[in-house]
Amino acid sequence: MKNRIFISLIIIFFLITFLIFYKGLQNTNIYIPNVSTKKDIPYFEAKLFGVDRFVNSNEIFEKDKFYLVNIWASWCVPCREEHPFLMNLKDETKINIIGLNYKDNNENAKRFIKELNNPYNIILSDKDGIIAIEWGAYGVPETFLIYDKKIIKKFIGPLNLDSLSEIKKLIK
Amino acid sequence: MASLIGFYSLIFGLCLSFIIYFFSIKNFRNSLIFDSKIIFFVFLQLLFVTISFFGLIVSFINSDFSNETVFNHSHTTKPLFYKISGTWGNHEGSLLLWLLVLTLFIFIFLVNSKEQKKKYRILTLLFQQIIIIGFFIFVIKTSNPFNYIFPIPKEGLGLNPILQDPALAIHPPILYLGYVGSSIIFSSTLAATSLNYISNNWAKHIKIWVLLSWIFLTLGILLGSIWAYYELGWGGFWFWDPVENVSLMPWLALTALLHCILILERKLLFTSWVIILSISTFTLSMCGTFLVRSGILNSVHTFANDPQRGLFILIFLFCLIFLSLFIFFFFHKNEDKEKYNFFWLSKEMSILVNNWFMMYFLTVILIGTIYPIFLEVINSEKISVGPPFYNKLIIPFLVPFLFGMAIGPKLKWVKSDFKNKLYLVIFLITSFLLSALIVKNFNISFLINTILVTSAFYLFFITLRDFLIKRFNNFSQNISHFGFSLLILSILLNNIFSTEIITNLKVGETFELKKTKIIFEGIDEKNIKNYNVVIGKFIIENFNGDTEILKPELRIYNQPNIVTSEADIKTSLFEDKFITMNLVQNQNYFNVRYQIKPFMIWIWISVLIISFGGVLSIFRKRI
């Protein structure tokens, strides 16, 4: 008799543990280092894509305006995935989208744009990846939402439906 | 191509599991002799998994980016060594490695257990196949390492640079040998329990597996710790990080199991302990896999996570737990109470005390690791449990534990007394005086430190004496216990004597203290295959004029784009000089951290000594 109570107690204990782990799985947390939001955008100079002219960040970004900086490359597969979302933003909102072409071959990048259309108002080229480091990017693709020359939100990895609606909500 | 072969080999491997099941059950029922066909099929399964694993390695070497795993974790500019080690540096590949070791071990087990009963061998194989099938399905369904992507990318995303380290390249395989070795113990214990086969003979035969997994687990933990020390640049070697804890928990259970098996080998005692410890060792290993892979915890080991994977391991883990509970409660017969007739001062009792201590340490670590998860689920409060928790709960208990460890092996079976044990007291007094002398000279709390150092010295002297007097009597045990005393001693002294200087320096500046002077000579830049590096040159000058040059590095990896800080460490027998530098954003100075860590190398050496004791024990049985 005593034994039976003991067994049931153990089984109940493990069942509870199972349930708690199961619940714990639902709020899985991928660790993202504290994103420095509301931070001033870094100053940089970059070559315009396909043209032999340099611009600096002060010329590109104006006060009181929303910008989206998107780091992309033609060799990056997830960039292909997020491209339709960028096109959608271009068509449905008035936001300025700035592409930062990261460590890419010019020809491949041109082909990429030709094939999938161009959502960008300006494309900058970042051949050695230095500008991306200054922005504190972890990899490609990555997207920064900028308002009033400040980074207000950072999206690591490809954009998806959730981030799309979040962006739309923020710029309203 | 290699990926394709790899994938189909996996499928064949899974099919073989079912064939093995069919033949084993037939053999189990019908005949008296073990069917050698089964060994052949097990070998075939091993072969297929090996082919599959090599398929993945080849894809990594060729940088075949049509394979998703390769694309996500490799890059053409990576050195060949890290391309290969990248195979198991990711979730998919490491599971394939699990599978490889699982099939390898069951094959070795079958070949090496010819003198055991047929039913027992088959049943062990069947239990092991449950685990193997579980992992096959897990790999194929949720983490297929051979996923194809189209269009084929030109370049991969690269391996996380902090994983590009030689210690870390061999850390997973060694650790897995330990984890998976415990799966054999698990299956064999379940088989032996259900056949009522637990005996001295069985203990003798399974002891080799216990020792093997224990050695590999010890070495695996050591490598992980060395990596943390060199690569993470915090100057510590153990952080009580959840991921470190989940490797320590099976180790504690396995250590207790090892001691129980040694008793069981001579006398039929502690069978329940052996069964429970075998089960918990393996389930704790699995639990560790679950915790780090599901993303329920955050750490460097959390690879790209997908809740589906976590769910699978969770369900699988609990199926195994319930299966083993069922077998334990329904097949295990309680032992004779008569056999437990031993005096309070005896070898049996000391092993029992050791078990309880191990269980206590294990519980503390288990609670520290899992409690935050529970709390978050129940009232969504986030806490993190750090070193103070573990230090407060573990250190006080370390003192009686160490004394017990010194005296326990001296005791006789069944009943012992204190005759001819005067030297125990003499040693106690000497170690107390010695530690009081050491601790007094430093500005630290006297009582607790003296007691701690005393207990460590005590074990140290007693084991040292055994070396000199008893020589080869129970040599392996002596070596391991000696290593353990050395480990505790070096950790304590390391903690007491460590010093640290943190300062901001510009190039050319000097930082001066009473005893040391740090001169920042200059920086140098270099281009290496897959990263750019900034090398700082620091001259450390001691008060007596000795100088030493240290060159910490900042590495800027090109793919993925990550800056890592490499410490420069000058190791000597008595202390490590450890320096790291970090760039401070938008400033022209560097943050410099200089540490002196005494007896660091002895921590590594003592763990090697501990595992060497295990190795000796294996070979002594064979001769």
Side-chain angles (χ1 to χ4, degrees):
Chain A
M1 191 54 208
K2 215 173 161 191
N3 206 5
R4 232 179 245 172
I5 294 173
F6 181 63
I7 295 174
S8 352
L9 279 180
I10 286 189
I11 290 176
I12 289 170
F13 168 76
F14 276 111
L15 279 176
I16 290 174
T17 320
F18 177 83
L19 278 178
I20 287 189
F21 276 144
Y22 180 75
K23 283 290 280 179
L25 270 180
Q26 321 278 310
N27 42 22
T28 310
N29 32 16
I30 304 169
Y31 177 72
I32 294 169
N34 248 335
V35 180
S36 40
T37 46
K38 297 275 166 70
K39 203 184 86 179
D40 286 341
I41 49 171
Y43 175 82
F44 62 88
E45 257 177 43
K47 200 175 89 65
L48 281 174
F49 181 75
V51 201
D52 217 15
R53 195 168 73 85
F54 281 83
V55 287
N56 67 35
S57 49
N58 290 339
E59 294 172 44
I60 301 171
F61 300 103
E62 286 172 33
K63 278 200 156 211
D64 283 337
K65 253 187 167 177
F66 279 103
Y67 294 89
L68 204 64
V69 173
N70 174 252
I71 303 177
W72 65 284
S74 64
W75 48 264
C76 139
V77 178
C79 296
R80 238 165 235 277
E81 233 172 80
E82 70 166 7
H83 211 86
F85 296 112
L86 290 171
M87 290 307 296
N88 175 294
L89 277 174
K90 187 202 170 185
D91 295 341
E92 292 184 7
T93 64
K94 276 184 262 163
I95 192 167
N96 271 313
I97 304 179
I98 293 154
L100 188 66
N101 185 230
Y102 176 82
K103 284 192 177 178
D104 209 349
N105 173 314
N106 263 339
E107 290 309 306
N108 290 345
K110 271 183 196 154
R111 213 171 307 136
F112 182 92
I113 291 290
K114 212 170 161 188
E115 187 188 331
L116 298 169
N117 287 333
N118 185 359
Y120 305 111
N121 300 55
I122 307 172
I123 303 179
L124 306 167
S125 123
D126 183 21
K127 231 171 178 148
D128 42 16
I130 300 273
I131 300 170
I133 294 184
E134 274 168 9
W135 279 79
Y138 299 105
V140 255
E142 217 167 285
T143 310
F144 299 82
L145 184 63
I146 289 150
Y147 175 69
D148 206 10
K149 293 196 171 193
K150 284 188 170 58
I151 300 172
I152 52 174
K153 181 89 194 170
K154 178 172 175 178
F155 301 92
I156 295 168
L159 296 176
N160 50 32
L161 272 177
D162 292 342
S163 35
L164 187 75
S165 55
E166 198 181 343
I167 293 173
K168 283 185 177 165
K169 220 162 93 195
L170 281 169
I171 58 180
K172 251 181 190 169
Chain B
M1 190 59 200
S3 303
L4 217 60
I5 295 176
F7 181 68
Y8 284 109
S9 304
L10 265 185
I11 304 278
F12 283 131
L14 177 60
C15 295
L16 271 168
S17 274
F18 296 111
I19 298 177
I20 291 170
Y21 249 87
F22 175 74
F23 279 102
S24 306
I25 290 174
K26 211 172 105 190
N27 190 225
F28 188 78
R29 284 196 187 143
N30 300 337
S31 82
L32 283 171
I33 13 160
F34 190 82
D35 191 351
S36 55
K37 245 189 300 188
I38 295 173
I39 293 196
F40 170 73
F41 283 126
V42 172
F43 176 72
L44 212 59
Q45 187 177 42
L46 169 65
L47 193 72
F48 276 123
V49 178
T50 316
I51 292 174
S52 167
F53 189 67
F54 273 96
L56 191 60
I57 292 186
V58 168
S59 309
F60 263 92
I61 293 176
N62 292 339
S63 296
D64 172 12
F65 296 124
S66 67
N67 179 322
E68 197 185 339
T69 313
V70 181
F71 164 73
N72 279 327
H73 303 282
S74 193
H75 192 265
T76 43
T77 58
K78 218 163 61 165
L80 181 67
F81 180 67
Y82 294 120
K83 275 184 189 165
I84 296 175
S85 75
T87 313
W88 52 80
N90 58 75
H91 171 79
E92 290 84 2
S94 64
L95 278 175
L96 200 55
L97 184 65
W98 253 91
L99 207 52
L100 179 67
V101 184
L102 273 172
T103 45
L104 174 71
F105 276 9
I106 188 63
F107 176 68
I108 297 177
F109 175 86
L110 283 179
V111 172
N112 269 334
S113 61
K114 291 221 165 72
E115 71 283 0
Q116 303 294 326
K117 255 181 22 187
K118 181 208 85 179
K119 280 196 168 176
Y120 160 72
R121 290 171 78 194
I122 292 182
L123 214 54
T124 309
L125 174 65
L126 289 181
F127 281 121
Q128 184 78 0
Q129 283 295 338
I130 294 180
I131 303 171
I132 292 178
I133 292 175
F135 270 90
F136 261 121
I137 296 175
F138 184 42
V139 170
I140 295 172
K141 239 196 121 233
T142 69
S143 13
N144 184 358
F146 301 107
N147 270 344
Y148 186 72
I149 36 175
F150 188 83
I152 300 170
K154 292 240 161 40
E155 196 47 277
L157 296 181
L159 178 69
N160 188 345
I162 58 167
L163 302 181
Q164 298 186 22
D165 180 89
L168 209 69
I170 50 170
H171 157 74
I174 301 270
L175 199 64
Y176 284 0
L177 287 175
Y179 277 166
V180 181
S182 71
S183 76
I184 292 280
I185 305 167
F186 173 80
S187 324
S188 140
T189 309
L190 288 190
T193 314
S194 34
L195 293 172
N196 206 5
Y197 185 59
I198 292 194
S199 60
N200 310 35
N201 188 18
W202 175 78
K204 208 169 271 169
H205 136 90
I206 205 66
K207 191 178 121 187
I208 307 277
W209 288 99
V210 176
L211 278 167
L212 264 181
S213 358
W214 183 79
I215 292 164
F216 282 121
L217 202 55
T218 315
L219 291 177
I221 295 174
L222 172 71
L223 283 168
S225 170
I226 290 180
W227 168 78
Y229 177 62
Y230 282 93
E231 188 72 28
L232 292 183
W234 303 332
F237 57 93
W238 194 265
F239 303 99
W240 294 110
D241 178 85
V243 177
E244 292 173 314
N245 293 346
V246 294
S247 69
L248 191 62
M249 286 189 285
W251 187 85
L252 288 171
L254 200 56
T255 311
L257 175 64
L258 181 60
H259 289 85
C260 286
I261 285 276
L262 291 174
I263 296 279
L264 189 63
E265 205 185 346
R266 311 248 168 100
K267 318 174 93 195
L268 208 54
L269 276 181
F270 301 147
T271 48
S272 310
W273 271 103
V274 167
I275 299 170
I276 290 176
L277 285 172
S278 309
I279 293 170
S280 35
T281 306
F282 182 65
T283 41
L284 283 170
S285 309
M286 281 280 292
C287 184
T289 317
F290 164 70
L291 288 177
V292 298
R293 290 305 161 74
S294 60
I296 213 167
L297 296 174
N298 292 319
S299 79
V300 280
H301 294 68
T302 316
F303 300 125
N305 53 48
D306 170 356
Q308 201 200 345
R309 287 174 181 168
L311 191 62
F312 186 96
I313 311 183
L314 186 65
I315 292 173
F316 187 43
L317 171 67
F318 276 85
C319 287
L320 287 180
I321 289 179
F322 284 120
L323 171 74
S324 32
L325 281 180
F326 171 77
I327 288 175
F328 178 70
F329 283 124
F330 288 91
F331 289 93
H332 178 58
K333 292 189 182 61
N334 274 338
E335 298 151 78
D336 257 343
K337 284 274 180 287
E338 295 234 323
K339 285 193 204 126
Y340 283 88
N341 227 336
F342 43 78
F343 191 50
W344 67 273
L345 199 66
S346 63
K347 202 166 225 148
E348 289 91 331
M349 193 50 130
S350 73
I351 296 274
L352 205 57
V353 169
N354 168 64
N355 282 348
W356 283 113
F357 268 112
M358 288 292 182
M359 287 303 105
Y360 171 72
F361 295 140
L362 191 108
T363 318
V364 169
I365 299 174
L366 192 67
I367 289 175
T369 313
I370 290 182
Y371 184 64
I373 300 175
F374 275 50
L375 199 65
E376 204 189 322
V377 169
I378 290 167
N379 66 359
S380 55
E381 194 179 327
K382 272 185 201 257
I383 56 159
S384 69
V385 176
F389 170 80
Y390 299 102
N391 291 345
K392 283 205 179 81
L393 284 167
I394 287 181
I395 288 177
F397 286 85
L398 213 54
V399 176
F401 179 67
L402 288 174
F403 280 122
M405 205 167 157
I407 296 169
K410 303 270 162 307
L411 301 176
K412 291 198 197 79
W413 298 100
V414 184
K415 188 174 177 173
S416 193
D417 53 34
F418 278 122
K419 273 176 205 155
N420 300 326
K421 296 275 193 297
L422 185 65
Y423 69 94
L424 289 178
V425 184
I426 296 174
F427 273 118
L428 182 62
I429 296 169
T430 351
S431 28
F432 178 75
L433 290 177
L434 185 65
S435 20
L437 209 68
I438 294 176
V439 175
K440 213 179 67 155
N441 285 325
F442 288 87
N443 195 11
I444 41 177
S445 66
F446 182 75
L447 191 66
I448 176 79
N449 281 305
T450 316
I451 294 174
L452 260 173
V453 179
T454 305
S455 57
F457 265 126
Y458 188 57
L459 180 60
F460 181 78
F461 285 133
I462 297 263
T463 42
L464 201 63
R465 172 185 173 273
D466 287 354
F467 267 132
L468 304 173
I469 293 176
K470 287 203 193 153
R471 286 177 197 275
F472 293 108
N473 186 11
N474 218 347
F475 195 49
S476 45
Q477 175 256 346
N478 205 296
I479 286 195
S480 286
H481 281 202
F482 174 72
F484 191 77
S485 75
L486 201 61
L487 175 70
I488 298 290
L489 211 54
S490 355
I491 292 177
L492 283 177
L493 294 180
N494 183 285
N495 268 336
I496 297 175
F497 297 131
S498 283
T499 50
E500 180 181 53
I501 299 169
I502 302 177
T503 174
N504 290 329
L505 284 180
K506 285 181 190 162
V507 178
E509 275 187 338
T510 302
F511 182 81
E512 227 175 316
L513 266 183
K514 257 181 281 164
K515 282 182 181 170
T516 42
K517 218 161 126 185
I518 304 172
I519 306 162
F520 191 176
E521 268 269 300
I523 51 172
D524 207 8
E525 277 179 63
K526 260 190 207 155
N527 267 326
I528 315 241
K529 201 177 171 198
N530 58 340
Y531 56 88
N532 295 328
V533 63
V534 178
I535 307 169
K537 188 179 173 191
F538 291 86
I539 299 176
I540 311 288
E541 208 176 286
N542 269 342
F543 59 100
N544 53 6
D546 286 348
T547 58
E548 196 133 30
I549 298 173
L550 287 168
K551 291 180 170 172
E553 295 177 0
L554 278 178
R555 291 186 182 168
I556 302 127
Y557 282 82
N558 54 14
Q559 196 62 44
N561 232 310
I562 291 180
V563 181
T564 70
S565 155
E566 296 282 307
D568 191 25
I569 301 165
K570 281 265 153 44
T571 304
S572 71
L573 270 187
F574 297 107
E575 61 181 26
D576 272 19
K577 295 193 172 80
F578 181 106
I579 195 163
T580 50
M581 65 176 195
N582 273 302
L583 193 61
V584 185
Q585 256 201 341
N586 304 324
Q587 301 291 344
N588 50 358
Y589 53 79
F590 290 88
N591 183 269
V592 177
R593 189 167 170 186
Y594 174 66
Q595 287 172 295
I596 298 174
K597 311 229 107 204
F599 302 107
M600 216 42 222
I601 195 168
W602 290 100
I603 295 177
W604 315 139
I605 292 177
S606 55
V607 177
L608 284 178
I609 294 177
I610 294 175
S611 34
F612 180 65
V615 176
L616 267 187
S617 177
I618 289 183
F619 283 104
R620 261 161 41 102
K621 273 273 121 32
R622 286 287 154 97
I623 295 164

